[in-house]
Every structure is written in structure tokens, then in C-alpha cells.
Amino acid sequence: MSSPGGPDGATVRVWVSILAALSASTIVMAQKPVIYAGGAVNAAGLVPVGQPSSGLAPGSIASLFGQNLAATTVTSQGYPLQSSLGGTSVAVNGKAVPLFYVSPNQINFQVPSDAPWSYTAYGQISIVVTTAAGSSDPIVADGVEMNGMIFTQDGGGCGHPGTIMNVGADGRRSLNTPKNSVSPGEFIEIYGTGIGPVYNSPPDGSPALSNPLSGAVQGSAGAGFDFQSFNATMVGAFSGRAPGLVGVDQVNSLVPPAVREGCAVPVLIGPAPATLSIHTGGGQCVDPAIQSTGSLLLKKSVMLNDSAVPEVDSFSGSFSASPGKQLPPPSPALPYAVENFGEIPSPSCVIPGYSTPDAGGITLTGPGLPSTQSAPVKSGGSTSYNTVLAPGSVSSGTYEIAAAGGNGIGKFQVPVTVGSGVQVTSQFPQGQVKGTGPLVVNWTGGVAGEVVIVTLLQHLLGYDRVNLQVVSATAGTVSFDPTVFTILNNLSTEIDVQVGPDPSQPQTFSASGLTLGGQISWMIEYRFVGLTF
């Protein structure tokens, strides 16, 4: 494993291309600077404003786009970085910030380390550019605690080859490329920006030190690999500011031995992936064959302590294709049992080899349900179907799901039998949940061959899985140790009770274009919301 350290000379040249984006100097007429609406983005991922992953983290490097932002193109020389280059300055919440680079259409600057952010809501960052011609109108950007993104070798942002160094057994570093792949089980150094607050934070505009290191406050931060192959693994050996650089984050990570290989394997340290070349033994990468699969789900969600929204019934489905894709191994949890909780998300940009097949229009028929058609919705590397049905549409009985066939997936017709669910006998009115003993959830009516998942969820920048138990539906009860409440203390919490078929024996279906086939399931969910401990 390598020790944290700055990149070599070749990598420094990469930083120059990334952070400076050198172009011919241009003289512009003295006009008031204009910042484009939504023109402040993470300099590595370049994720457009408006997406969930577009906020700016404290201490990170941001890119600002607009017109008349500077009279000439100037790149900062030496440290500490200056707050004025070529007569241009940038103020964030009234505070002048360090500048890496200015040009008429783009500025790269460091977000102040004390920029406002929140676990549960976005802080507000006001940005103003000032030149000899005057000051721009302010724009407002979102400040978030962390929003790590990887610098890319061509400066293209999300979905492009990452600025990632292979680390040999002798500690030597070399830039990861298709001709210089990393081998599974070896270490890499990932360079990005936006992982958030660090210990031993250097002054803004000054490079991080190697002693003491500036480690991430979120010390478990690591790298996620290949979010669609079902073997995504997060292993972090070091995460923090890269020694010798300003605002640049470094994550040293082990490439999982079981990760899929290829020339564009998605890897991420936050919401927006870059790509990595992986091949056993290193050298030239080879892409595996593209495989595809799908999943279908009928779901009833019943709110037990909120009469305003007593029930939501829905149908959802997704289809995805990618190199080396695998079927998920047997899981103790239901399909979709914990949605978006701690899972690596689908890509927010185009990844080579990741396609978006669809099955055309889908029609549902079943007990008390009129024919309902759901049009496909494209989303990154998958096609998602999401239809809200009338309350009472999902009930005990047999349904038929039929697809007309579409782009890449042929028509199919498959039945699914929904069980009767359970009756939750515990009560948790909204408000404070008190007591020092175990938290007990009881129900009746479970049948053999079905499972119940009871989950405690806390709201922290979206739902995060806090504690989960899976039991036979016939068990009738689960209890949680009171020590878990120290995690949940004073945070918005919900209790979910989900029942469905045993996931170790999934129901499958086939269709042309689905090389791995598909899985179909049902779920009845009971929710208690608005709780605090």
C-alpha cells in the first residue's frame, strides 16, 4: 500500500490541464462580468446545477462559468493562492477566495472551508465576481457537507477516465490508462475534490501537509466500484487532502479482488462516477461481454400513523445492461426492500458500455385493477418504469404484467401472485418515542415462505439504513437493542415493516434481449413516520 502523497511530474501536468484548462489569452472589452445562472459547479465532476449531486463542499475546487469574468487568461503561480488574478476577484458570502485560474468565460476557485452546509438541508452560498468593469450580480449556489467527485484526464467530468494512479507493490505510481490497467487486489490513488471537512485543515489557498495529514472527517470514505455488477465494494485506506496540493482530495483504495474488469469500470468517491481500467496482471484492458437483466415489483405502502396519506400503491420496474453484469446473489432482503439506502446509485451520466434498454409499454391487469400502461423513463444506465396506482389496486391475488416490446427487450407476459401481508399490532404515534428498553415491533398473519424486514431509518441527506432485521413472516415479532437509539437520537426517524416472498427463491421471467433474464416480486410495506428517539 502506498503512503499518501502528491502525484509525480506526469500527474502535475494532468492537474495543469484539469485545473487551468489552458487556452489562448483573450482581451475583452470592459463590460460588467456576468455569471451564468447555475454556473458554479464542482470542478471535477462538472455536474450541472439542479441535479442532487451539484452542491459545493467546503474546501473544494469549484468552476464558475459566465461572460466577461476576466480581461485575460491568468493561471496562479506559487502558494498561497492569491485572491486576485489579472484584476479579477471572487467573493463567496462577501469573503475573497483563493483563485487557481481566471479567463473571460471560466474561473476556478477554492470554496471557503467555512462555507455553510447542513446534514439535512443545503446551505446557501452567494458568489460575486469583480473586475475593473464592476461587479456581477450575485448567484446563489448550494453548499453541502460533502460532494466528492473525481478529476478526469480530459477534463470532461462525470463518465470520463479518472485521474487515478496505479500503485505498484514497490510503491511506484503510474497513471491508469487502458494500456496501463490496475490489477484486481492492488491499490490505487484517486484524485478529486469535495469530500468535505478534514482534520488538520490547511489554510484556504495553501497546500495540505504530509505531516500531519489532513484526513477526512468522514473517515470511512472510500471508493465505490461498478454499481451495476452487484459486487460493489467500498474499501478506503486513506481519504483526505492530497499533500502538496490545494483543495485536491486523495483517496487510497484497494481495488476489490472480485470487481468486474474492463476498460471503463465506474468508480466513485461521491455521486458522480469516473472510469477506471482494470485487468488481471495489468497492461491492456479487455471489455467483457455486455449482459442485461430486469426486475419488476408490485408494491403497497400503508402509512399507519399518518392519515393524510394512508396508502400508496405502485408498480415499478427497471432494465439495465452493462459489461460483465451479474445477477444479484441470493439476498436476505426483498428486492427494493431498502430503496436508495446506502446503495451506490445508477450513473448520472453516460458510461461506456452501459446502455438503456426498454420493453416498450407495460400493461398491468389483476384484482380490482383496470388496465394501466406505464411508459418507460430513461435514467442513466437503466430504464425505469414507475406508476402510482389507485389505492387498493395492489391486494391479495394474481396479477399479469405484459410488455409490448421495445428498444432492446422483446415482449413478455408474466404472472405474479401477491400475498395477504400481515397485520402490524404495534403502535407508534408521531412524535417522541420514549423508553430505555428494547424497541419491539409485533404483527400477526404471517405465512410460511414469506419474510418480514423491519428497518429503522434516519433522515440524513436522504434516508440511510440504520438497523435492519430479517425474519420469517411467521415469527410475529422483532426487537431492537436500545443502544441503537444513540444513533437515532433527535433525528427524524421512521420504522418500516415490509413483507414479501422469500428472496432466496426469486420468481424469474425471460424475454429476448435479457441475457440474464429478469426477476419479479411483490411487497407490502407498513410505515411509521415522524418519529424521534
Side-chain angles (χ1 to χ4, degrees):
M1 183 187 75
S2 68
S3 60
D8 56 19
T11 309
V12 170
R13 290 192 292 274
V14 174
W15 299 136
V16 172
S17 66
I18 293 172
L19 302 180
L22 294 175
S23 59
S25 298
T26 304
I27 304 298
V28 299
M29 296 181 65
Q31 298 180 14
K32 176 182 174 179
V34 175
I35 307 172
Y36 294 145
V41 297
N42 180 295
L46 302 175
V47 174
V49 170
Q51 293 191 14
S53 54
S54 62
L56 303 181
S60 66
I61 303 173
S63 290
L64 195 64
F65 296 95
Q67 296 179 340
N68 311 316
L69 300 179
T72 61
T73 296
V74 183
T75 301
S76 179
Q77 303 294 324
Y79 298 120
L81 299 179
Q82 303 301 304
S83 59
S84 178
L85 289 178
T88 291
S89 62
V90 176
V92 173
N93 290 346
K95 177 181 180 179
V97 298
L99 302 177
F100 294 89
Y101 163 87
V102 300
S103 73
N105 300 111
Q106 179 179 345
I107 295 173
N108 288 347
F109 68 92
Q110 185 180 20
V111 179
S113 296
D114 59 357
W117 55 268
S118 169
Y119 281 111
T120 57
Y122 292 112
Q124 296 295 301
I125 298 176
S126 174
I127 303 174
V128 174
V129 174
T130 298
T131 68
S135 295
S136 69
D137 294 333
I139 67 163
V140 175
D142 291 326
V144 294
E145 182 209 10
M146 51 187 174
N147 192 24
M149 298 188 190
I150 301 171
F151 285 111
T152 53
Q153 298 177 33
D154 60 2
C158 183
H160 290 243
T163 301
I164 301 171
M165 307 298 289
N166 303 336
V167 181
D170 58 0
R172 293 186 181 181
R173 302 173 177 89
S174 59
L175 185 65
N176 182 274
T177 67
K179 293 183 178 180
N180 185 38
S181 302
V182 66
S183 184
E186 294 183 345
F187 275 88
I188 54 175
E189 293 177 352
I190 305 170
Y191 290 90
T193 191
I195 65 173
V198 296
Y199 297 109
N200 306 315
S201 178
D204 289 347
S206 295
L209 301 176
S210 57
N211 187 18
L213 289 170
S214 297
V217 172
Q218 300 294 327
S220 62
F225 297 85
D226 190 26
F227 34 68
Q228 287 188 6
S229 71
F230 299 101
N231 60 7
T233 305
M234 306 183 79
V235 180
F238 168 80
S239 58
R241 298 285 186 267
L245 298 171
V246 175
V248 176
D249 298 321
Q250 176 179 342
V251 175
N252 290 5
S253 184
L254 179 73
V255 178
V259 74
R260 76 96 166 164
E261 300 184 18
C263 300
V265 179
V267 58
L268 67 172
I269 59 174
T275 62
L276 175 71
S277 294
I278 303 176
H279 182 68
T280 298
Q284 177 66 50
C285 59
V286 178
D287 279 320
I290 293 176
Q291 305 285 359
S292 57
T293 187
S295 61
L296 306 170
L297 178 72
L298 279 173
K299 177 179 177 181
K300 176 193 292 290
S301 183
V302 181
M303 200 79 69
L304 295 181
N305 67 345
D306 186 353
S307 59
V309 188
E311 178 179 327
V312 176
D313 291 13
S314 64
F315 164 75
S316 60
S318 66
F319 301 94
S320 58
S322 63
K325 190 173 186 64
Q326 304 172 29
L327 283 176
S331 168
L334 300 174
Y336 294 78
V338 182
E339 298 167 274
N340 302 320
F341 307 138
E343 297 179 358
I344 298 176
S346 294
S348 55
C349 53
V350 176
I351 303 290
Y354 287 70
S355 61
T356 58
D358 70 73
I362 288 184
T363 301
L364 288 74
T365 55
L369 177 70
S371 295
T372 304
Q373 188 153 318
S374 174
V377 177
K378 300 288 187 180
S379 177
S382 66
T383 297
S384 297
Y385 294 77
N386 294 284
T387 300
V388 176
L389 307 172
S393 295
V394 178
S395 60
S396 180
T398 299
Y399 292 75
E400 182 179 271
I401 302 175
N407 181 23
I409 301 174
K411 63 181 180 179
F412 60 80
Q413 184 173 320
V414 58
V416 57
T417 300
V418 177
S420 58
V422 299
Q423 293 77 49
V424 179
T425 56
S426 298
Q427 296 183 11
F428 299 97
Q430 290 192 27
Q432 187 77 24
V433 177
K434 300 180 179 180
T436 57
L439 174 71
V440 180
V441 180
N442 297 314
W443 66 89
T444 61
V447 300
E450 297 177 359
V451 298
V452 166
I453 299 176
V454 181
T455 312
L456 298 184
L457 307 170
Q458 70 176 8
H459 198 71
L460 182 63
L461 289 179
Y463 284 118
D464 293 331
R465 179 162 47 190
V466 174
N467 204 299
L468 175 149
Q469 293 193 45
V470 183
V471 298
S472 169
T474 60
T477 185
V478 298
S479 62
F480 292 88
D481 189 283
T483 57
V484 73
F485 306 146
T486 61
I487 302 174
L488 301 170
N489 188 34
N490 294 324
L491 289 174
S492 177
T493 304
E494 73 175 65
I495 300 173
D496 281 5
V497 180
Q498 299 166 326
V499 59
D502 185 344
S504 67
Q505 300 177 6
Q507 180 181 346
T508 61
F509 68 95
S510 61
S512 61
L514 289 182
T515 61
L516 300 176
Q519 295 186 2
I520 184 169
S521 190
W522 60 270
M523 179 203 303
I524 297 179
E525 174 187 60
Y526 307 91
R527 301 175 62 197
F528 297 94
V529 298
L531 309 177
T532 57
F533 288 86

